[in-house]
Amino acid sequence: MGILWEVVQTGLMYGQKRKSDSVEDRVQDLEGRLAATQNTIRELVKKLEQILERDIDSDGKVG
């Protein structure tokens, strides 16, 4: 239950922050979150390729 409550609290805090930030601040925040998400996905694909020993993203190499 602890992790679920933390997610709920984070969502509530983000909602309050969005109300107080300007559009430019919100766009900058979203761009940062997008970059972090993309990095996480890249790392996940890399790890999956290493585990499965297959080229998942068609870049010609495993890992």
Side-chain angles (χ1 to χ4, degrees), residues 36-54:
T37 301
Q38 289 172 331
N39 288 335
T40 300
I41 291 172
R42 282 187 204 101
E43 290 298 317
L44 178 60
V45 168
K46 182 177 177 180
K47 189 58 86 175
L48 283 172
E49 285 185 345
Q50 291 171 350
I51 292 170
L52 299 175
E53 298 178 352
R54 292 180 48 198

Side-chain angles (χ1 to χ4, degrees), residues 3-54:
I3 191 101
L4 180 59
W5 181 243
E6 189 175 325
V7 170
V8 169
Q9 285 181 321
T10 301
L12 292 173
M13 288 187 309
Y14 178 68
Q16 285 295 334
K17 182 179 180 340
R18 279 193 54 192
K19 289 179 184 177
S20 64
D21 288 345
S22 69
V23 172
E24 292 83 8
D25 291 339
R26 293 192 314 228
V27 168
Q28 186 176 8
D29 181 57
L30 288 172
E31 287 174 342
R33 288 172 184 260
L34 175 61
T37 301
Q38 289 172 331
N39 288 335
T40 300
I41 291 172
R42 282 187 204 101
E43 290 298 317
L44 178 60
V45 168
K46 182 177 177 180
K47 189 58 86 175
L48 283 172
E49 285 185 345
Q50 291 171 350
I51 292 170
L52 299 175
E53 298 178 352
R54 292 180 48 198

